[in-house]
mmCIF file with all atom_site columns, all heavy atoms in Angstrom:
data_model
loop_
_atom_site.group_PDB
_atom_site.id
_atom_site.type_symbol
_atom_site.label_atom_id
_atom_site.label_alt_id
_atom_site.label_comp_id
_atom_site.label_asym_id
_atom_site.label_entity_id
_atom_site.label_seq_id
_atom_site.pdbx_PDB_ins_code
_atom_site.Cartn_x
_atom_site.Cartn_y
_atom_site.Cartn_z
_atom_site.occupancy
_atom_site.B_iso_or_equiv
_atom_site.pdbx_formal_charge
_atom_site.auth_seq_id
_atom_site.auth_comp_id
_atom_site.auth_asym_id
_atom_site.auth_atom_id
_atom_site.pdbx_PDB_model_num
ATOM 1  N N   . PHE A 1 389 ? 97.117 105.586 61.477 1.00 96.00 ? 389 PHE A N   1
ATOM 2  C CA  . PHE A 1 389 ? 95.805 105.229 62.002 1.00 96.00 ? 389 PHE A CA  1
ATOM 3  C C   . PHE A 1 389 ? 95.160 106.456 62.640 1.00 96.00 ? 389 PHE A C   1
ATOM 4  O O   . PHE A 1 389 ? 95.848 107.384 63.085 1.00 96.00 ? 389 PHE A O   1
ATOM 5  C CB  . PHE A 1 389 ? 95.907 104.090 63.022 1.00 96.00 ? 389 PHE A CB  1
ATOM 6  C CG  . PHE A 1 389 ? 97.046 104.207 64.002 1.00 96.00 ? 389 PHE A CG  1
ATOM 7  C CD1 . PHE A 1 389 ? 96.898 104.889 65.209 1.00 96.00 ? 389 PHE A CD1 1
ATOM 8  C CD2 . PHE A 1 389 ? 98.278 103.626 63.733 1.00 96.00 ? 389 PHE A CD2 1
ATOM 9  C CE1 . PHE A 1 389 ? 97.942 104.995 66.109 1.00 96.00 ? 389 PHE A CE1 1
ATOM 10 C CE2 . PHE A 1 389 ? 99.333 103.725 64.636 1.00 96.00 ? 389 PHE A CE2 1
ATOM 11 C CZ  . PHE A 1 389 ? 99.162 104.415 65.832 1.00 96.00 ? 389 PHE A CZ  1
ATOM 12 N N   . GLY A 1 390 ? 93.847 106.457 62.647 1.00 95.00 ? 390 GLY A N   1
ATOM 13 C CA  . GLY A 1 390 ? 93.129 107.596 63.206 1.00 95.00 ? 390 GLY A CA  1
ATOM 14 C C   . GLY A 1 390 ? 91.723 107.206 63.604 1.00 95.00 ? 390 GLY A C   1
ATOM 15 O O   . GLY A 1 390 ? 91.195 106.184 63.174 1.00 95.00 ? 390 GLY A O   1
ATOM 16 N N   . ARG A 1 391 ? 91.138 108.035 64.474 1.00 95.00 ? 391 ARG A N   1
ATOM 17 C CA  . ARG A 1 391 ? 89.797 107.742 64.946 1.00 95.00 ? 391 ARG A CA  1
ATOM 18 C C   . ARG A 1 391 ? 89.089 109.021 65.342 1.00 95.00 ? 391 ARG A C   1
ATOM 19 O O   . ARG A 1 391 ? 89.713 110.034 65.659 1.00 95.00 ? 391 ARG A O   1
ATOM 20 C CB  . ARG A 1 391 ? 89.859 106.714 66.049 1.00 95.00 ? 391 ARG A CB  1
ATOM 21 C CG  . ARG A 1 391 ? 89.469 107.072 67.453 1.00 95.00 ? 391 ARG A CG  1
ATOM 22 C CD  . ARG A 1 391 ? 90.485 107.843 68.239 1.00 95.00 ? 391 ARG A CD  1
ATOM 23 N NE  . ARG A 1 391 ? 90.020 107.936 69.639 1.00 95.00 ? 391 ARG A NE  1
ATOM 24 C CZ  . ARG A 1 391 ? 90.316 108.916 70.466 1.00 95.00 ? 391 ARG A CZ  1
ATOM 25 N NH1 . ARG A 1 391 ? 91.088 109.891 70.076 1.00 95.00 ? 391 ARG A NH1 1
ATOM 26 N NH2 . ARG A 1 391 ? 89.856 108.930 71.695 1.00 95.00 ? 391 ARG A NH2 1
ATOM 27 N N   . ASP A 1 392 ? 87.767 108.955 65.296 1.00 95.00 ? 392 ASP A N   1
ATOM 28 C CA  . ASP A 1 392 ? 86.907 110.042 65.743 1.00 95.00 ? 392 ASP A CA  1
ATOM 29 C C   . ASP A 1 392 ? 86.462 109.700 67.153 1.00 95.00 ? 392 ASP A C   1
ATOM 30 O O   . ASP A 1 392 ? 85.505 108.957 67.363 1.00 95.00 ? 392 ASP A O   1
ATOM 31 C CB  . ASP A 1 392 ? 85.705 110.167 64.807 1.00 95.00 ? 392 ASP A CB  1
ATOM 32 C CG  . ASP A 1 392 ? 84.828 111.368 65.141 1.00 95.00 ? 392 ASP A CG  1
ATOM 33 O OD1 . ASP A 1 392 ? 84.834 111.805 66.307 1.00 95.00 ? 392 ASP A OD1 1
ATOM 34 O OD2 . ASP A 1 392 ? 84.109 111.850 64.249 1.00 95.00 ? 392 ASP A OD2 1
ATOM 35 N N   . GLY A 1 393 ? 87.165 110.225 68.163 1.00 95.00 ? 393 GLY A N   1
ATOM 36 C CA  . GLY A 1 393 ? 86.897 109.846 69.530 1.00 95.00 ? 393 GLY A CA  1
ATOM 37 C C   . GLY A 1 393 ? 85.544 110.286 70.041 1.00 95.00 ? 393 GLY A C   1
ATOM 38 O O   . GLY A 1 393 ? 84.915 109.587 70.836 1.00 95.00 ? 393 GLY A O   1
ATOM 39 N N   . ASP A 1 394 ? 85.066 111.455 69.608 1.00 95.00 ? 394 ASP A N   1
ATOM 40 C CA  . ASP A 1 394 ? 83.789 111.948 70.107 1.00 95.00 ? 394 ASP A CA  1
ATOM 41 C C   . ASP A 1 394 ? 82.596 111.275 69.427 1.00 95.00 ? 394 ASP A C   1
ATOM 42 O O   . ASP A 1 394 ? 81.461 111.407 69.874 1.00 95.00 ? 394 ASP A O   1
ATOM 43 C CB  . ASP A 1 394 ? 83.693 113.464 69.935 1.00 95.00 ? 394 ASP A CB  1
ATOM 44 C CG  . ASP A 1 394 ? 83.883 113.901 68.496 1.00 95.00 ? 394 ASP A CG  1
ATOM 45 O OD1 . ASP A 1 394 ? 82.951 113.727 67.686 1.00 95.00 ? 394 ASP A OD1 1
ATOM 46 O OD2 . ASP A 1 394 ? 84.974 114.405 68.161 1.00 95.00 ? 394 ASP A OD2 1
ATOM 47 N N   . ASN A 1 395 ? 82.839 110.553 68.319 1.00 95.00 ? 395 ASN A N   1
ATOM 48 C CA  . ASN A 1 395 ? 81.802 109.796 67.621 1.00 95.00 ? 395 ASN A CA  1
ATOM 49 C C   . ASN A 1 395 ? 80.576 110.653 67.294 1.00 95.00 ? 395 ASN A C   1
ATOM 50 O O   . ASN A 1 395 ? 79.429 110.253 67.511 1.00 95.00 ? 395 ASN A O   1
ATOM 51 C CB  . ASN A 1 395 ? 81.391 108.577 68.448 1.00 95.00 ? 395 ASN A CB  1
ATOM 52 C CG  . ASN A 1 395 ? 82.406 107.461 68.369 1.00 95.00 ? 395 ASN A CG  1
ATOM 53 O OD1 . ASN A 1 395 ? 82.395 106.638 67.457 1.00 95.00 ? 395 ASN A OD1 1
ATOM 54 N ND2 . ASN A 1 395 ? 83.335 107.455 69.336 1.00 95.00 ? 395 ASN A ND2 1
ATOM 55 N N   . SER A 1 396 ? 80.853 111.832 66.770 1.00 94.00 ? 396 SER A N   1
ATOM 56 C CA  . SER A 1 396 ? 79.779 112.750 66.381 1.00 94.00 ? 396 SER A CA  1
ATOM 57 C C   . SER A 1 396 ? 80.191 113.451 65.094 1.00 94.00 ? 396 SER A C   1
ATOM 58 O O   . SER A 1 396 ? 81.351 113.371 64.679 1.00 94.00 ? 396 SER A O   1
ATOM 59 C CB  . SER A 1 396 ? 79.540 113.780 67.486 1.00 94.00 ? 396 SER A CB  1
ATOM 60 O OG  . SER A 1 396 ? 80.517 114.816 67.434 1.00 94.00 ? 396 SER A OG  1
ATOM 61 N N   . PRO A 1 397 ? 79.249 114.189 64.451 1.00 92.00 ? 397 PRO A N   1
ATOM 62 C CA  . PRO A 1 397 ? 79.638 114.950 63.264 1.00 92.00 ? 397 PRO A CA  1
ATOM 63 C C   . PRO A 1 397 ? 80.385 116.237 63.591 1.00 92.00 ? 397 PRO A C   1
ATOM 64 O O   . PRO A 1 397 ? 80.757 116.979 62.676 1.00 92.00 ? 397 PRO A O   1
ATOM 65 C CB  . PRO A 1 397 ? 78.296 115.254 62.585 1.00 92.00 ? 397 PRO A CB  1
ATOM 66 C CG  . PRO A 1 397 ? 77.235 114.901 63.540 1.00 92.00 ? 397 PRO A CG  1
ATOM 67 C CD  . PRO A 1 397 ? 77.811 114.175 64.683 1.00 92.00 ? 397 PRO A CD  1
ATOM 68 N N   . LEU A 1 398 ? 80.657 116.506 64.864 1.00 91.00 ? 398 LEU A N   1
ATOM 69 C CA  . LEU A 1 398 ? 81.417 117.672 65.278 1.00 91.00 ? 398 LEU A CA  1
ATOM 70 C C   . LEU A 1 398 ? 82.885 117.291 65.478 1.00 91.00 ? 398 LEU A C   1
ATOM 71 O O   . LEU A 1 398 ? 83.217 116.130 65.664 1.00 91.00 ? 398 LEU A O   1
ATOM 72 C CB  . LEU A 1 398 ? 80.855 118.234 66.585 1.00 91.00 ? 398 LEU A CB  1
ATOM 73 C CG  . LEU A 1 398 ? 79.352 118.516 66.610 1.00 91.00 ? 398 LEU A CG  1
ATOM 74 C CD1 . LEU A 1 398 ? 78.926 118.966 67.996 1.00 91.00 ? 398 LEU A CD1 1
ATOM 75 C CD2 . LEU A 1 398 ? 78.978 119.550 65.558 1.00 91.00 ? 398 LEU A CD2 1
ATOM 76 N N   . THR A 1 399 ? 83.755 118.309 65.461 1.00 90.00 ? 399 THR A N   1
ATOM 77 C CA  . THR A 1 399 ? 85.177 118.065 65.707 1.00 90.00 ? 399 THR A CA  1
ATOM 78 C C   . THR A 1 399 ? 85.478 118.411 67.166 1.00 90.00 ? 399 THR A C   1
ATOM 79 O O   . THR A 1 399 ? 86.006 119.476 67.472 1.00 90.00 ? 399 THR A O   1
ATOM 80 C CB  . THR A 1 399 ? 86.049 118.892 64.747 1.00 90.00 ? 399 THR A CB  1
ATOM 81 O OG1 . THR A 1 399 ? 85.632 118.658 63.414 1.00 90.00 ? 399 THR A OG1 1
ATOM 82 C CG2 . THR A 1 399 ? 87.520 118.509 64.894 1.00 90.00 ? 399 THR A CG2 1
#
Side-chain angles (χ1 to χ4, degrees):
F389 43 89
R391 114 282 188 208
D392 185 334
D394 57 75
N395 283 275
S396 79
L398 308 176
T399 307

